[in-house]
Amino acid sequence: MRYVIGVVGLLVFLLLAWLPSTDRRAAVGKLGRVAILLVVQFALGFLLLRTGVGTTVIRVIRDGFQHILDYAGQGTSFVFGDVAKYGQTPAFLFSVLMPVVFVSALIGILQHIRVLPLIIKYLGLMLSWVSGFGKVESFNAVAAAILGQSEVFISLRGMLDRIPPQRMYTLAASAMSTVSASILGAYMQLIDARFVITAIVLNLLGVFAVTALANPYRVDPLEDAELLEGESADARRAQSFFEMLTDYILVGFRVAFTVAAMLIGFIALLAMVNGIFAALFNGTTFQDVMGHVFAPLAYITGIPWHEAVDAGKFMGTKLVSNEIVAMQELHQDHGGLSTHTMAIVSTYLVSFANFSSIAIIIGAVRSLNEKQGLVTAGYGLRLLYSATLVSFITATIVGLLS
């Protein structure tokens, strides 16, 4: 029965992407491409979750990040000393967020020695071939998964002024649907690495399935080539190794403390709102309400109805606060959720689809180009809607495979 519900859920989420489409007739013409994207998502999900090869790949990535976290811990311990080791469980800032600084430095080195640009280029070419979108959109999606939702627009600054509004929508939706490689280590300390890696891979494809229905358009190959040439010319700006390294370390530091500040603010606000709701509604918290709101959507991802409300609490928490708040709550108290439900919820949480991301993306684009910042601002809620549907589709696929 759960397979029937999962298939129905996929159809419902695709319908929800099509209903507010900018061109419904053109979107219907994209259904063949959407079907291809879904087939590839299922194939990759099966490979990662159900085969020995996938298990090995995930174990290698997980172990690699564990070594990186261990190395990062030496830097954290040197600066903070015994403060970083206080108590049986190190503080979240030291154990989860500070390693972001080191990971950011590694990303900078790989970028400087031209390894990352090659990865982005060739993965982007494959993604473009599968998705049917332009190379700009595909390169951007891969870059966003490595660099992050705000940093990726810096890599586009050479072409940003000439990107049409519809293509800008796809670029911003990709940035919101993925996560940054610099924070993967933090995610893997909170939820199972299998679902972190699987969600990243499936979201890369899922965002094109959703935007093909919500925002259909044709790409002129000549325009695509001209935009990429502008980006390449900008990327050739010389920068010394230590100048680059300093920049990326500081970027990592800003990311870590930006996340810390957002966690402080959002968790405190959530606690206050829960307290107000509990006082007004006889012990019923805001998260209890969000659980009931999200329960029907959680159910059609394949979660049993008796767990749908509990799972919906984490889904709603992610939307109104951010993914790390929800992951931390899931890590601390998952309320006895089954393994199947944990797989779906964990996968759903791995993206930047939340209200705060609207401001982050708009701010990042506007700081680079005022005109495109206003275009992106006009898409704000539509972007969040599309990125949330991407997360639901990915979670539903994992539910069908789990």
Side-chain angles (χ1 to χ4, degrees), residues 11 27 33-34 40 45 49 60 79 119 122 156 159 205 217 223 254 274-275 302-303 307 340 343-344 347 356 361 363:
L11 295 175
R33 184 62 64 174
V34 171
V40 176
L49 296 175
V60 168
V79 173
I119 293 172
Y122 289 107
L156 299 174
M159 67 172 83
L205 295 158
Y217 56 88
E223 177 190 274
R254 285 196 298 272
N274 278 336
I303 293 174
E307 295 183 296
H340 176 70
I344 295 173
T347 306
S356 61
I361 288 176

Side-chain angles (χ1 to χ4, degrees), residues 52-316:
V53 173
T55 301
T56 301
V57 169
I58 289 172
R59 185 176 66 248
V60 168
I61 295 173
R62 183 196 62 207
D63 293 347
F65 268 95
Q66 187 56 56
H67 286 304
I68 289 171
L69 293 173
D70 292 341
Y71 296 140
Q74 295 186 35
T76 304
S77 297
F78 180 82
V79 173
F80 294 101
D82 292 338
V83 175
K85 303 175 182 177
Y86 183 78
Q88 292 184 341
T89 304
F92 189 85
L93 174 66
F94 303 124
S95 63
V96 178
L97 296 183
M98 282 297 96
V100 172
V101 179
F102 180 53
V103 176
S104 181
L106 293 179
I107 290 172
I109 293 170
L110 293 174
Q111 181 85 349
H112 188 77
I113 62 177
R114 310 304 297 167
V115 171
L116 276 189
L118 285 176
I119 293 172
I120 291 169
K121 178 181 178 180
Y122 289 107
L123 283 180
L125 286 172
M126 286 191 292
L127 187 57
S128 179
W129 180 71
V130 173
S131 70
F133 279 75
K135 293 176 184 176
V136 171
E137 287 87 343
S138 300
F139 292 173
N140 172 80
V142 177
I146 296 171
L147 303 175
Q149 66 177 337
S150 55
E151 291 80 3
V152 69
F153 292 105
I154 299 174
S155 70
L156 299 174
R157 59 184 178 267
M159 67 172 83
L160 207 53
D161 190 56
R162 293 171 290 132
I163 295 175
Q166 281 189 303
R167 300 188 76 174
M168 195 66 211
Y169 178 92
T170 303
L171 298 179
S174 293
M176 192 179 285
S177 299
T178 54
V179 294
S180 168
S182 65
I183 206 163
L184 284 189
Y187 291 165
M188 290 180 190
Q189 292 183 75
L190 298 173
I191 61 176
D192 194 320
R194 289 182 301 155
F195 306 124
V196 176
I197 303 302
T198 303
I200 291 169
V201 173
L202 299 193
N203 284 352
L204 272 175
L205 295 158
V207 69
F208 291 113
V210 170
T211 53
L213 297 175
N215 181 48
Y217 56 88
R218 294 182 64 85
V219 174
D220 181 354
L222 183 60
E223 177 190 274
D224 214 31
E226 289 176 351
L227 289 172
L228 288 170
E229 178 58 32
E231 189 272 341
S232 297
D234 185 77
R236 284 193 286 266
R237 295 178 182 177
Q239 190 180 36
S240 72
F241 176 82
F242 287 103
E243 183 183 1
M244 170 281 303
L245 191 59
T246 302
D247 285 346
Y248 272 88
I249 288 172
L250 290 176
V251 164
F253 189 79
R254 285 196 298 272
V255 168
F257 275 90
T258 297
V259 172
M262 292 179 69
L263 289 175
I264 291 169
F266 276 117
I267 290 174
L269 283 171
L270 200 55
M272 183 184 75
V273 172
N274 278 336
I276 293 171
F277 267 67
L280 293 176
F281 302 109
N282 195 30
T284 300
T285 67
F286 175 69
Q287 285 173 291
D288 291 332
V289 174
M290 292 301 294
H292 287 284
V293 170
F294 272 79
L297 295 172
Y299 177 67
I300 61 175
T301 63
I303 293 174
W305 181 251
H306 68 276
E307 295 183 296
V309 173
D310 291 332
K313 291 179 185 179
F314 300 111
M315 292 177 168

